[in-house]
Amino acid sequence: MAVTIYDVAKRAGVGIGTVSRAMNDNPGINPATKARVLGVVKKLNYQPHTLAQSLARKKTFSIAAVVPFFTNYFFIELLKSITAFLSRNNYNLILYNVDTHYKWERTLDRVLADRSTDGILVISIGVSDEYADRLLANTVPAVIVDNLNYKIDSVAVANRQGAREATEHLIKLGHKKVGMIDGHLSSFPAISRLQGYKQALLENDLPFDDELLVICDAKIGEHGFNEIAGYKAMKEVLQLGSKMPTALFVASDVQALGVMRAVKEAGLHIPDDLAIVGFDDIEFSRFIGLTTMRQPFGKMGRLGVERLFDLMNGKADAGFHKELKAELIVRESCGGEKSFSAGTDCECKKY
Amino acid sequence: MAVTIYDVAKRAGVGIGTVSRAMNDNPGINPATKARVLGVVKKLNYQPHTLAQSLARKKTFSIAAVVPFFTNYFFIELLKSITAFLSRNNYNLILYNVDTHYKWERTLDRVLADRSTDGILVISIGVSDEYADRLLANTVPAVIVDNLNYKIDSVAVANRQGAREATEHLIKLGHKKVGMIDGHLSSFPAISRLQGYKQALLENDLPFDDELLVICDAKIGEHGFNEIAGYKAMKEVLQLGSKMPTALFVASDVQALGVMRAVKEAGLHIPDDLAIVGFDDIEFSRFIGLTTMRQPFGKMGRLGVERLFDLMNGKADAGFHKELKAELIVRESCGGEKSFSAGTDCECKKY
DNA sequence: ATGAAAGCGCTAACAG
DNA sequence: CTGTTAGCGCTTTCAT
């Protein structure tokens, strides 16, 4: 077996209490004994047993992250900043994957029952009001990242502002018929982005035209935020014939990928026949020259854990609902200076 | 506080031992009492405290996965299959991110010291022989995924076979001057893929030409397996002028992305001026029509955990070094039937 | 300042 | 079959 606190105590000729005090930088301890104990600790290479500590302290030193893996891999960026923070604070990350949007409740229940974590990060999941109450009733705090529920602290991108800005970009370029392809409206980001789109139209005295809005079917994958849904949606847009919009705000980059495919198949050209701007700025977007709204995932993750830690440490003030601004990244899919050339083009300044 | 085993025992009028036995489906227990206890358990909504169980059983019910996050996101596929398996077995996954290839030892040391896991999955990391000994000395078993060290059980793709097949594909297409762009040779996959490339040349009576091989600088990112490294490598190949190869096996798809960019900048065309085949089959490869060797990540992850569980349960036989075949995915970057058109082209059959 | 002892919540060996 | 007890390895009073 591994060396325990008793081994150290015996070897140092002290009680286990003293060893514990020495290890945990307890104030009331003789510097001399402390040094002696720590010497033995080093010699024996003693490492406190985390689980035993957890049980005694009623603190697990780890947090849970519940993530739907099928979302477009951008959660990696979130995870990166989260693990970086946790690692600095000697905390562990227990990762839970929910395969579908419909199974997250069961997973979350398991996390709560488990008591293996001091806090929960609920990522990219639309928590229902009823479930929010359950979360609130629990002792372990939770914060929602990349989504919103007013009962639970959260940090997300400013979907509405982003969508507005995206649409406005198109309008400023001179487009009068700006359409939108959105995810299913059962999803919070889809709703907010639609609002932003409408707002931009309104602010620029452009009429909102039902025909120019295509909502992806939720049945096509999760919330319709995927390539194939974008492809099908674009097919619908193509049906419009002469009534077709000259520009399109697509609610996510992956959908935009599908849109581009459909456009190409139709023998049309981007941005000449259709200007598009996406949302997310996934890794691949720069390769295909897609103008899009960049989400600050790193910052989102960091702010999320930070808030969670505040909650865990009781230094949380009132409700917290941070909205991070999305940033417009102009590339070639809207025309302008540079003409769009499909392919492996990318912004080289980024390197 | 939450309900404990004592609460249940008192309420059911039994000892805590009986409650424990009822919960753990212990054989020697009266079905009637068991039912009664379980009834109380349900009524009180009792959930055993995982940490306390862990301490008593000397078993944590969780495994660690140490992953370099910067690798090309394909580890998500690994994680998916791993979490699926763990979830089925009521195990948790503790995720550790190593930001650079040089810091993994410290992280792994921490994992070992922590004693919070029953097993360790070391992913995409080249474990040194010295460190392998340290791993072996430890009581908690480890298996390496997507890499190789003969001292530790592992599952990886058959890099050599894959590279051979990729190169052979090019040769069969009639190419006589087939070059290669590889990652830095400090990485195991880079070495094996080079061997496969050479083998294919040899088997087809083609000479190996030093000039046609470009090794990416390890200083450019980690092991040179990235876009910018591929770009720079291709620039070198372009220098060859008339001696340029007509086809190229690129050791990874991300590098291939860089290659394509450089080719385009040079005003050349794929596959007419240069045929290329990559390795990995990352998500975007199908969008750009890249012919490549697909790695069976899902299977890799599954076999990895399965082996780890065997190890943990003592049913492990001799050393285990599984090599999974890579599969050639033919798209447009090598010419053939379909002519290559850069852009958002993709195989639609896949949907 | 420090040793002894009482938990933390559970499992498992030991008596009955 | 089942109640009791002794740990698991550590933290934290409580005396001293």
Side-chain angles (χ1 to χ4, degrees):
Chain A
M1 282 312 295
V3 27
T4 77
I5 200 171
Y6 286 93
D7 301 320
V8 178
K10 191 178 299 175
R11 181 73 163 266
V14 298
I16 61 166
T18 303
V19 177
S20 176
R21 280 184 279 262
M23 293 291 295
N24 300 304
D25 293 311
N26 219 300
I29 182 174
N30 188 315
T33 25
K34 177 168 178 175
R36 186 156 43 90
V37 170
L38 258 27
V40 177
V41 164
K42 186 147 291 176
K43 193 168 345 187
L44 262 44
N45 191 27
Y46 166 65
Q47 298 281 153
H49 193 297
T50 315
L51 258 47
Q53 285 184 313
S54 299
L55 191 60
R57 287 190 188 151
K58 293 171 174 301
K59 205 164 181 288
T60 67
F61 308 103
S62 49
I63 72 158
V66 182
V67 189
F69 270 27
F70 53 81
T71 56
N72 292 299
Y73 295 5
F74 61 55
F75 69 90
I76 303 280
E77 294 303 324
L78 282 176
L79 250 34
K80 268 188 194 171
S81 57
I82 292 168
T83 52
F85 179 89
L86 292 179
S87 170
R88 274 198 301 278
N89 291 274
N90 269 296
Y91 253 73
N92 285 338
L93 202 237
I94 304 191
L95 191 65
Y96 294 89
N97 172 24
V98 282
D99 336 70
T100 78
H101 263 304
Y102 314 106
K103 290 203 298 197
W104 62 264
E105 294 207 7
R106 253 195 44 202
T107 303
L108 218 39
D109 279 340
R110 198 178 129 213
V111 175
L112 293 176
D114 218 45
R115 256 113 91 256
S116 310
T117 55
D118 299 335
I120 307 177
L121 245 23
V122 181
I123 300 176
S124 302
I125 291 176
V127 176
S128 64
D129 274 7
E130 305 79 58
Y131 203 91
D133 288 330
R134 183 135 41 129
L135 234 32
L136 246 22
N138 202 280
T139 42
V140 7
V143 0
I144 294 177
V145 176
D146 187 38
N147 218 294
L148 183 67
N149 179 300
Y150 284 107
K151 295 181 177 178
I152 311 283
D153 283 1
S154 68
V155 29
V157 74
N159 286 294
R160 191 178 172 139
Q161 161 265 329
R164 215 201 69 229
E165 215 170 297
T167 310
E168 207 153 60
H169 177 66
L170 258 7
I171 297 175
K172 288 218 174 105
L173 250 25
H175 293 280
K176 298 295 176 197
K177 293 182 72 174
V178 181
M180 174 178 183
I181 288 179
D182 200 1
H184 193 263
L185 297 181
S186 55
S187 126
F188 161 73
I191 297 173
S192 314
R193 290 173 198 178
L194 176 54
Q195 290 174 342
Y197 162 74
K198 286 185 176 175
Q199 187 181 341
L201 253 31
L202 198 67
E203 289 173 356
N204 289 276
D205 303 312
L206 252 29
F208 167 69
D209 183 348
D210 240 336
E211 284 197 315
L212 265 38
L213 170 67
V214 179
I215 307 289
C216 290
D217 194 335
K219 272 149 211 141
I220 302 178
E222 303 295 336
H223 292 315
F225 278 117
N226 52 55
E227 203 263 355
I228 184 70
Y231 176 81
K232 293 200 176 178
M234 188 61 215
K235 285 283 189 194
E236 280 190 47
V237 174
L238 255 9
Q239 301 288 337
L240 261 30
S242 61
K243 289 193 283 184
M244 243 190 72
T246 60
L248 219 44
F249 164 46
V250 185
S252 77
D253 286 5
V254 252
Q255 288 174 310
L257 250 22
V259 167
M260 292 170 92
R261 180 158 63 93
V263 167
K264 180 157 195 165
E265 279 183 20
L268 297 180
H269 201 253
I270 288 174
D272 306 333
D273 302 310
L274 184 73
I276 69 175
V277 21
F279 203 107
D280 285 346
D281 193 29
I282 59 176
E283 201 191 10
F284 201 54
S285 298
R286 71 160 194 273
F287 288 103
I288 54 174
L290 178 64
T291 291
T292 190
M293 300 305 302
R294 174 178 297 169
Q295 293 212 48
F297 292 113
K299 195 173 180 188
M300 241 160 88
R302 209 187 58 239
L303 290 181
V305 249
E306 281 177 3
R307 175 63 183 183
L308 186 60
F309 267 62
D310 284 348
L311 247 26
M312 288 169 7
N313 300 323
K315 13 176 180 165
D317 27 342
F320 175 97
H321 294 284
K322 190 81 179 176
E323 281 215 328
L324 269 27
K325 279 229 173 87
E327 179 195 359
L328 176 69
I329 304 293
V330 177
R331 288 197 269 251
E332 296 89 42
S333 64
C334 298
E337 306 126 81
K338 224 170 161 185
S339 100
F340 178 70
S341 47
T344 52
D345 261 330
C346 68
E347 278 184 301
C348 303
K349 326 154 203 161
K350 281 292 171 291
Y351 294 107
Chain B
M1 281 313 294
V3 27
T4 76
I5 199 172
Y6 286 93
D7 301 321
V8 178
K10 192 177 298 176
R11 182 73 162 267
V14 299
I16 61 166
T18 303
V19 177
S20 176
R21 280 184 280 263
M23 293 290 295
N24 300 303
D25 293 311
N26 219 300
I29 181 176
N30 186 317
T33 26
K34 177 168 179 176
R36 186 157 45 88
V37 170
L38 257 27
V40 177
V41 164
K42 186 149 291 177
K43 193 165 352 190
L44 264 43
N45 192 26
Y46 165 66
Q47 297 282 153
H49 193 299
T50 316
L51 258 48
Q53 285 184 313
S54 300
L55 192 59
R57 287 191 187 147
K58 293 171 174 300
K59 205 162 179 288
T60 67
F61 307 103
S62 50
I63 72 157
V66 182
V67 188
F69 270 28
F70 53 81
T71 55
N72 294 300
Y73 294 6
F74 60 57
F75 70 90
I76 303 281
E77 294 303 323
L78 282 176
L79 249 36
K80 269 188 193 171
S81 57
I82 292 168
T83 52
F85 180 89
L86 292 180
S87 170
R88 274 198 301 279
N89 291 274
N90 270 296
Y91 253 73
N92 285 338
L93 202 236
I94 303 190
L95 191 64
Y96 295 88
N97 172 23
V98 281
D99 334 72
T100 77
H101 263 303
Y102 314 107
K103 289 203 297 198
W104 62 264
E105 293 207 6
R106 253 195 43 201
T107 303
L108 218 40
D109 279 340
R110 199 178 127 213
V111 175
L112 293 176
D114 218 45
R115 257 112 94 255
S116 309
T117 55
D118 298 336
I120 306 176
L121 245 25
V122 181
I123 300 176
S124 302
I125 290 177
V127 175
S128 64
D129 273 7
E130 306 78 57
Y131 203 90
D133 288 331
R134 184 133 44 128
L135 234 32
L136 247 24
N138 202 280
T139 41
V140 7
V143 0
I144 295 175
V145 176
D146 186 38
N147 217 294
L148 183 67
N149 179 300
Y150 284 106
K151 295 180 177 177
I152 311 282
D153 282 2
S154 67
V155 28
V157 74
N159 286 294
R160 191 178 172 139
Q161 160 264 331
R164 215 201 69 230
E165 215 170 297
T167 309
E168 206 152 61
H169 177 66
L170 258 8
I171 296 174
K172 288 217 173 105
L173 249 26
H175 293 280
K176 297 295 176 197
K177 292 181 74 175
V178 181
M180 174 178 183
I181 288 180
D182 200 0
H184 193 263
L185 297 181
S186 54
S187 125
F188 161 72
I191 297 172
S192 312
R193 290 174 197 176
L194 177 54
Q195 290 174 342
Y197 163 73
K198 286 185 175 173
Q199 186 182 342
L201 254 31
L202 197 68
E203 288 173 357
N204 289 277
D205 303 311
L206 252 31
F208 166 69
D209 183 349
D210 240 337
E211 284 197 315
L212 266 36
L213 169 68
V214 178
I215 306 289
C216 290
D217 194 334
K219 271 150 212 143
I220 303 178
E222 302 295 338
H223 292 317
F225 278 117
N226 52 55
E227 202 263 357
I228 185 68
Y231 177 81
K232 293 199 176 179
M234 188 59 214
K235 285 284 190 194
E236 279 189 48
V237 173
L238 255 10
Q239 301 288 341
L240 261 33
S242 63
K243 288 192 284 184
M244 244 188 71
T246 60
L248 219 43
F249 164 47
V250 185
S252 77
D253 285 6
V254 253
Q255 288 174 310
L257 250 23
V259 167
M260 292 170 90
R261 181 158 63 94
V263 167
K264 180 159 196 162
E265 279 183 19
L268 296 181
H269 202 254
I270 288 174
D272 307 332
D273 303 309
L274 185 72
I276 69 176
V277 20
F279 204 107
D280 285 346
D281 194 28
I282 60 176
E283 200 190 11
F284 295 132
S285 298
R286 70 161 195 274
F287 289 103
I288 52 174
L290 179 64
T291 291
T292 189
M293 301 304 302
R294 174 178 296 168
Q295 293 211 45
F297 291 114
K299 195 173 179 188
M300 242 160 88
R302 209 187 59 239
L303 290 181
V305 248
E306 281 177 4
R307 175 62 183 184
L308 186 60
F309 267 62
D310 283 348
L311 246 26
M312 286 168 9
N313 300 322
K315 10 176 182 165
D317 27 344
F320 176 96
H321 295 282
K322 189 81 177 175
E323 281 215 329
L324 267 28
K325 278 230 173 86
E327 178 195 0
L328 176 69
I329 305 293
V330 177
R331 287 197 271 249
E332 296 88 43
S333 64
C334 298
E337 307 126 82
K338 222 171 163 184
S339 102
F340 178 72
S341 48
T344 50
D345 261 329
C346 66
E347 277 185 302
C348 301
K349 325 154 204 161
K350 281 292 172 292
Y351 295 107

